[in-house]
Amino acid sequence: MNNKRIYSLDVLRIIAAALIVMHHYQQITDSYFGGRFNFRAYSVVVEFFFFLSGFVAYKYAKGEALGFWPYIKKKALRLLPLVAITSVAYEVLLVIYNNVCKTEWLLGNEISLWGLLLNCLGIQCGWFFKNPGVNNPAWYVSVLLLCYVVYWLLDAWSRKAQIPGNILYLVMAVLGVVFWFLDWNIPFINIFAARGYYSFFWGLLLSRCWKEKRIGPVWTIIMIPVLLGLYLVPDWSKLVQLEVYHFALLFLCYPVIVFLFLSEPVQRILNFKMFGILGASTYDVYLWHVPMMLAMYIGLKWLQINWNLDYYKCLYAFVAGAFVVGLVSYFIISRPIQKWINK
């Protein structure tokens, strides 16, 4: 297997991580930036991370099949240590916040040791339990692990029953959309799991098609005018518009963007190791940015600094700080863990 990083995809990870940080900054600080910026609808960027995780999962599909426990153990060891560390940091900071700031925290002021345990096990969302909201962005990791479990089961079924894997991945993506509209709140069939299913398995399906040269440039050429048409659609009702554009991003826009960034000219332009390092740190950026917001509020209150957080320069400074913290975390936590796993 070729494990060489694709720097152009790392650029997409960097952009997506920055948008998620901006989304949560605006949401938690209740900022509007004078109407100049609006990142409140960018929660759908999480679907891009699911999509990209599925897209690169072909590295396993093309390699030798691992047993269930070795496969899941490897994924869990890669993902969960940082979830545990950031979740503990979040709870400690929340205790300090409750004592120093004495105000309502948007994501809830309750300290939950049970939620902390679920986070550390990676089963806090999408599985059997209601998301306790401990370092809330970590829900993505829980659902991602669930997607990996379903992926392994489907892949094993595909080999045993001689069913084309692509058919199973397509069915799972469609089921994800169905579960999303059903909006049930039961184990494995809920809106959080659904977001993982339809995004991860759509990415996995397209990656297999792309590797087998069944799709790629032609898809991009066809979809660009379709996307432009969607952009120019008249003013539909807000509900219909939200649902259409939500899935249009995933099923049409994200593949076009990924295929464009996988094209040889773009890969040559973005072939810088710096992008690989930043891209590798985006997982750390994602998990640290909400604890950082708690720390920011604590620091401002403790130092009695009255900054106007509804200011675009504060937003940019916070995003930059999140990437600095993410890089430090990557070098002292995530990368050593990854090297240990790969031994």
Side-chain angles (χ1 to χ4, degrees):
M1 292 184 291
N2 181 12
N3 291 317
K4 183 180 178 181
R5 293 196 72 91
I6 301 174
Y7 295 148
S8 57
L9 293 186
D10 282 318
V11 171
L12 291 179
R13 289 187 180 94
I14 295 165
I15 295 171
L19 289 174
I20 286 291
V21 174
M22 291 176 181
H23 163 72
H24 284 141
Y25 179 95
Q26 186 170 22
Q27 181 185 47
I28 291 174
T29 62
D30 194 28
S31 300
Y32 291 88
F33 310 113
R36 298 171 63 183
F37 305 103
N38 185 10
F39 301 102
R40 291 175 182 266
Y42 280 71
S43 61
V44 294
V45 176
V46 174
E47 270 82 343
F48 179 77
F49 281 119
F50 281 123
F51 175 82
L52 205 55
S53 294
F55 196 89
V56 300
Y58 69 82
K59 292 183 178 181
Y60 164 68
K62 289 293 184 182
E64 295 181 359
L66 292 173
F68 178 77
W69 288 116
Y71 174 70
I72 296 303
K73 179 182 176 182
K74 187 173 183 179
K75 295 296 183 184
L77 287 175
R78 163 67 182 89
L79 295 171
L80 294 184
L82 190 62
V83 170
I85 292 169
T86 55
S87 297
V88 170
Y90 178 89
E91 291 293 87
V92 170
L93 287 167
L94 188 57
V95 170
I96 299 172
Y97 177 90
N98 288 339
N99 285 278
V100 173
C101 299
K102 302 183 186 300
T103 57
E104 182 179 358
W105 173 243
L106 180 67
L107 303 177
N109 294 71
E110 182 182 356
I111 308 301
S112 174
L113 295 180
W114 171 246
L116 179 59
L117 175 62
L118 294 180
N119 271 39
C120 294
L121 295 174
I123 55 173
Q124 75 272 27
C125 187
W127 296 68
F128 307 99
F129 309 98
K130 181 181 178 181
N131 182 16
V134 176
N135 195 16
N136 195 55
W139 77 265
Y140 156 78
V141 182
S142 179
V143 174
L144 181 60
L145 281 173
L146 176 58
C147 289
Y148 283 135
V149 169
V150 175
Y151 172 36
W152 188 95
L153 294 173
L154 291 179
D155 194 56
W157 185 23
S158 172
R159 293 194 310 271
K160 184 175 181 179
Q162 297 297 304
I163 303 173
N166 289 353
I167 293 177
L168 297 179
Y169 306 147
L170 178 60
V171 169
M172 201 65 214
V174 172
L175 284 175
V177 175
V178 173
F179 296 159
W180 189 85
F181 279 105
L182 289 175
D183 195 18
W184 290 347
N185 187 26
I186 59 178
F188 311 115
I189 304 176
N190 49 70
I191 198 166
F192 295 102
R195 292 175 70 180
Y197 295 155
Y198 61 64
S199 306
F200 181 92
F201 288 99
W202 179 239
L204 179 59
L205 174 63
L206 291 189
S207 75
R208 297 286 291 267
C209 293
W210 177 74
K211 288 294 290 184
E212 295 164 8
K213 302 189 184 302
R214 297 180 184 178
I215 199 170
V218 174
W219 173 281
T220 303
I221 292 170
I222 293 173
M223 285 300 110
I224 287 177
V226 172
L227 293 174
L228 289 173
L230 285 171
Y231 180 76
L232 297 173
V233 163
D235 185 24
W236 301 346
S237 71
K238 290 185 181 297
L239 179 61
V240 173
Q241 196 176 63
L242 175 63
E243 292 180 353
V244 168
Y245 280 94
H246 173 72
F247 289 111
L249 276 173
L250 173 65
F251 292 110
L252 301 178
C253 185
Y254 292 164
V256 169
I257 293 171
V258 168
F259 290 143
L260 281 174
F261 275 69
L262 284 172
S263 64
E264 194 171 324
V266 175
Q267 286 201 53
R268 282 202 301 266
I269 293 171
L270 300 177
N271 188 30
F272 295 98
K273 188 176 180 180
M274 171 189 66
F275 292 138
I277 295 172
L278 284 172
S281 72
T282 53
Y283 180 64
D284 300 71
V285 172
Y286 178 80
L287 286 177
W288 276 113
H289 76 278
V290 170
M292 281 182 60
M293 297 208 71
L294 269 173
M296 177 182 70
Y297 275 103
I298 293 168
L300 292 176
K301 180 69 175 180
W302 185 55
L303 297 172
Q304 297 184 342
I305 298 175
N306 188 24
W307 279 356
N308 177 20
L309 297 176
D310 190 1
Y311 185 44
Y312 71 94
K313 288 186 178 179
C314 290
L315 169 68
Y316 295 154
F318 184 82
V319 173
F323 273 91
V324 170
V325 171
L327 281 168
V328 172
S329 173
Y330 170 69
F331 280 111
I332 68 174
I333 301 174
S334 296
R335 192 165 76 163
I337 291 173
Q338 189 62 43
K339 287 183 177 179
W340 174 71
I341 293 172
N342 292 333
K343 283 184 179 180

